Amino acid sequence: MHTQVGIIGGGPSGLCLARLLSLAGIESVILERHDRAHVEARIRAGILEQGMIELMRRARVGDRMDREGLLHDGIVLTFDGRVERVDLAGLTGGKQVMVYGQTELTRDLYDAVLSDANITVVFEARDVQPEGFLEGRPALEFGKDGQQHRLVCDWIAGCDGYHGASRAAVPRDRITEFERVYPFGWLGLLAETPPVHDELIYSNHERGFALCSMRSHTRSRYYVQVGLDEKLEDWPDDRFWDEIRRRLPERFAAKMVTGPAIEKSIAPLRSFVAEPLRFGKLFLVGDAGHIVPPTGAKGLNLAASDMYYLSTALIAFYQQGRSDLLDRYSETALRRIWAAVRFSWWFTSISHRFGGDAIERRIQLAEFDYLMGSTAGRTTIAENYVGLAFDASFR
Ligand code: FAD
Ligand code: PHB
């Protein structure tokens, strides 16, 4: 078996990359560990930046997103009782973000990919093992239905998330990993209830951080900061609703509509970057190469710039015989990644309880006062939240 680009992982990164390549006539095979239903059911990202929105359109999978996605001009930040709105669009020359769930985006991508003649998807691929990428003869070994297969390819794209096989296959002396694990997680709940507000609310409260997000006008997604030792079974729905209401200003708490959870899960918070993102003929893309805490809504949006840079570089290689962009992929992608790692870390640090001494909260309040009282402060939040531009010189 041979293909041009062997892709490990059929999440948003692998699917969208395959589509962008296909539209330039480049063939790929995607090896995905799970089945389609499993990948589509993962409740994760909810907010798309302009860059990801444009990439979906470029991949010709943006029609439903454009019809059903909700464009937002602002976010609300609260500190104990205080409520402040950050006018994202007003402070960034009209930039907006879009509420469109990763579940929906993944479904749209699979609909396109599975009817695309340039793309083959192998579901339930077992024990995928990238080989030969440092020696210039890349191949993917994997098992399927009890048989062992070998896929020879020109390039390997590791799009298999934080726990995948691609980064793990890189010799330890070739890679540097930067990591911070936060001393708390997010307990998330999805419910078929109207969102408490028409914009997202990020709340810093003495009891811990809370976030009110949504998937549509009738579906809410809420989070509360919890300790790392918390267990899901100790959080029946009623306890979650009581807790999030306590962490919100009265005017929101009073009108919160509760209902049974459709999904509930706890996610740990982590900052992680691998350097470099290229190892011979293997590239890391998306969560396989970097993780940010979800506070800035950046994870999927960072995968977007990786996909954009790598697809641009591979298209230049196949269409023009150029390898200069492939050589620049890692360095270019990492610049935007570190900017988002910094913002996500900072936004986490000003909005969560770290269990520190009394001075921690006073300093957070002073920072909140400063940011909200300053156009520069508000603009800093807005510019980073709507997302930094892709590097226009990468072509
Ligand atoms: P993944 O989605 O992890 O996909 C990797 C795929 O590879 C999976 O399908 C997996 O099954 C497959 N795979 C793994 N290992 C193997 C293997 N060995 N062999 C074959 N296949 C394999 N981001 C945002 O931009 N905005 C948000 O609002 C946001 N909110 C979030 C909220 C939460 C609670 C969480 C947890 C994340 C959030 N994110 C957000 C982050 C976002 O979900 C991720 O950044 C995104 O899923 C990355 O996509 P990916 O395709 O790179 O990786
Ligand atoms: C979500 O809707 O899941 C979401 C929104 C914003 C974030 C993180 C998660 O910052």
Side-chain angles (χ1 to χ4, degrees), residues 8-14 31-34 38-39 42-48 102 110 125 128 159-165 186 221 223 267 285-288 294 297-303:
I8 315 176
S13 297
L31 304 181
E32 165 56 48
R33 179 163 50 187
H34 295 288
H38 178 100
V39 179
R42 284 195 297 241
I43 314 287
R44 295 172 83 185
I47 299 290
L48 308 183
Q102 184 167 329
Y110 268 121
V128 178
C159 304
D160 47 354
Y162 179 70
H163 298 287
W186 279 16
R221 178 66 165 165
Y223 298 95
V285 179
D287 278 16
K298 288 281 165 276
L300 179 56
N301 293 304
L302 267 187

Side-chain angles (χ1 to χ4, degrees), residues 28-309:
S28 63
V29 173
I30 299 174
L31 304 181
E32 165 56 48
R33 179 163 50 187
H34 295 288
D35 62 17
R36 174 177 178 174
H38 178 100
V39 179
E40 283 184 6
R42 284 195 297 241
I43 314 287
R44 295 172 83 185
I47 299 290
L48 308 183
E49 296 172 358
Q50 207 60 44
M52 185 68 208
I53 296 170
E54 275 160 25
L55 219 54
M56 288 288 283
R57 291 177 186 147
R58 184 190 281 241
R60 297 198 202 143
V61 285
D63 290 355
R64 192 164 70 97
M65 174 192 79
D66 281 324
R67 277 197 314 276
E68 297 179 12
L70 308 176
L71 286 168
H72 281 197
D73 287 335
I75 52 172
V76 172
L77 304 184
T78 81
F79 199 108
D80 291 341
R82 265 177 64 193
V83 178
E84 298 277 355
R85 177 174 188 268
V86 177
D87 181 2
L88 299 176
L91 291 161
T92 60
K95 294 202 180 116
Q96 298 169 301
V97 294
M98 184 188 272
V99 169
Y100 193 65
Q102 184 167 329
T103 49
E104 307 312 301
L105 174 142
T106 305
R107 197 175 110 201
D108 298 341
L109 282 164
Y110 268 121
D111 282 346
V113 158
L114 292 175
S115 55
D116 188 321
N118 288 327
I119 307 171
T120 304
V121 186
V122 179
F123 289 107
E124 299 179 315
R126 303 287 173 218
D127 305 319
V128 178
Q129 188 58 39
E131 291 180 355
F133 51 88
L134 292 176
E135 293 83 33
R137 32 182 181 76
L140 295 171
E141 288 278 346
F142 65 99
K144 168 75 184 165
D145 298 331
Q147 301 221 330
Q148 197 59 22
H149 301 269
R150 183 177 178 81
L151 173 69
V152 176
C153 35
D154 303 342
W155 305 95
I156 298 172
C159 304
D160 47 354
Y162 179 70
H163 298 287
S166 53
R167 198 180 68 251
V170 175
R172 294 293 88 190
D173 59 352
R174 292 263 189 162
I175 192 167
T176 306
E177 297 182 344
F178 301 87
E179 181 165 45
R180 171 163 303 174
V181 178
Y182 295 81
F184 42 73
W186 279 16
L187 168 62
L189 179 146
L190 184 72
E192 200 61 33
T193 56
V196 68
H197 186 56
D198 55 9
E199 293 182 335
L200 269 64
I201 304 171
Y202 290 84
S203 179
N204 181 334
H205 188 270
E206 207 173 346
R207 296 180 64 85
F209 171 82
L211 168 62
C212 302
S213 181
M214 66 190 77
R215 290 293 175 272
S216 69
H217 293 305
T218 57
R219 188 170 275 205
S220 301
R221 178 66 165 165
Y222 296 128
Y223 298 95
V224 291
Q225 172 188 352
V226 294
L228 282 178
D229 51 354
E230 293 285 348
K231 303 263 175 303
L232 214 45
E233 56 267 28
D234 295 330
W235 284 90
D237 296 356
D238 285 349
R239 182 177 174 206
F240 181 93
W241 292 117
D242 287 345
E243 187 59 38
I244 193 160
R245 277 183 297 209
R246 292 174 79 168
R247 296 185 189 189
L248 295 174
E250 181 52 29
R251 74 155 108 151
F252 295 121
K255 67 187 193 82
M256 178 162 266
V257 181
T258 65
I262 305 169
E263 192 260 7
K264 212 163 30 181
S265 52
I266 296 181
L269 267 65
R270 182 190 310 274
S271 299
F272 172 87
V273 182
E275 287 191 1
L277 295 173
R278 177 186 180 174
F279 307 90
K281 299 217 159 187
L282 166 74
F283 297 89
L284 300 182
V285 179
D287 278 16
H290 42 82
I291 297 284
V292 288
T295 323
K298 288 281 165 276
L300 179 56
N301 293 304
L302 267 187
S305 44
D306 293 359
M307 295 173 226
Y308 170 77
Y309 294 135

Side-chain angles (χ1 to χ4, degrees), residues 321-338:
R322 289 170 55 192
S323 49
D324 57 315
L325 293 183
L326 290 166
D327 293 340
R328 282 169 55 201
Y329 167 74
S330 178
E331 186 198 335
T332 309
L334 280 165
R335 256 199 307 278
R336 188 168 185 272
I337 290 161
W338 277 111

